[in-house]
Amino acid sequence: MNPIGKFINKVRTGAEKAIDRTQDVVGDAVDNVKDAAAAGGRKVGQFVDGFENAASGAARGVGNVVGGAARGVQEFFGGGNQPDRVHDGKLLGADGQTFPPGTALADIPGVNPANNPNPQSTVLYVNGILTTKEAQSESLQAIANATGSRVIGIHNATEGMGADLAQCVKDKLDKGTNPAVDTLADALYTEIKAGRDVHLMAHSQGGLISSRALNDVYNRLRIEDGMSKSDAQALMGNINVETFGAAATTYPDGPNYVHYVNRGDPVPSMFGLGPIPDKWNPIADGGQGSKVHHFNEFHLNPFDGHKFEDVYLKNRVPFDQAREGNFNQ
């Protein structure tokens, strides 16, 4: 090949290589732009996804708050899952065992004192509001230790603050059905008709339940058994009753009563027998011959003065001593 041809070939070869390099550079640049665009797209997508996730999370958070508030309101008024409800009106014995209403008291293994496996006497106990079966079991043991008696509970189930208070109002007005009232009335009637004495203790709403049940027993003796007023009251004299911070204002004559009222407790002070003796309170009637022990134990939180074990049980004296009006411990 002549020199000119060689020169032309060199020029062509150099030009082709330059073009190839240019194409490579341009191609790389285009690829970089594509990659950057794709990465940018991914970042935009991630941002959008993140925003959607945040919005979804916020919505779930609001939903949880609203749902939680709704559940709280529902539970306050007794709706939703109320696990204690299934025990309402049941008889409660040792180790948290429950027994259906109508079970003979002699067939129920009661809670015994810690230092006496064979007590000779039995106490029935009705709890107040906001008390689960497990909490009542603790009270049964405290009563057994304090009295030296075998103790059986009649469970007043809790279904939330609102529902419990609404039931108190109905108990106060003697309206509606309360399973604990029915169970207690049947147990009291069965025992005294069989000639057996009964010792009943009640706290808070348990006092209302006891008042209703005792009235039911009296009416049953009068109507079903045809007893005279005096005979019915005489038979009910086989029932000894102790109330603690009870919300009941009146009790039927016949049973032997001892009522404990802490003046620092707003429940009996406002809704029960009140902070002053019956003779000065025209609407209060603790039952004929009742003994009412007013004492002073004030707390920064007034409702701490309503506690059963921490306040009332420690101010209790033996029943016979209390009936003599001697409350010195």
Side-chain angles (χ1 to χ4, degrees), residues 90-98 108-114 123-127 131-155 201 308-309 313:
K90 297 285 184 68
L91 292 152
L92 180 60
D95 301 319
Q97 299 177 79
T98 58
I108 297 174
V111 176
N112 293 329
V123 169
L124 294 179
Y125 173 66
V126 187
N127 61 282
T131 304
T132 63
K133 176 177 74 75
E134 291 72 24
Q136 189 186 16
S137 290
E138 294 179 4
S139 296
L140 299 185
Q141 187 63 66
I143 294 169
N145 294 342
T147 63
S149 299
R150 162 179 169 261
V151 186
I152 296 171
I154 292 176
H155 190 57
M201 295 174 67
F308 177 61
E309 286 100 323
L313 200 55

Side-chain angles (χ1 to χ4, degrees), residues 84 88 126-129 131 154-158 167 178 180 205 209:
D84 199 54
D88 203 11
V126 187
N127 61 282
I129 69 170
T131 304
I154 292 176
H155 190 57
N156 169 36
T158 180
Q167 189 180 56
N178 184 330
Q205 186 193 1
I209 290 168

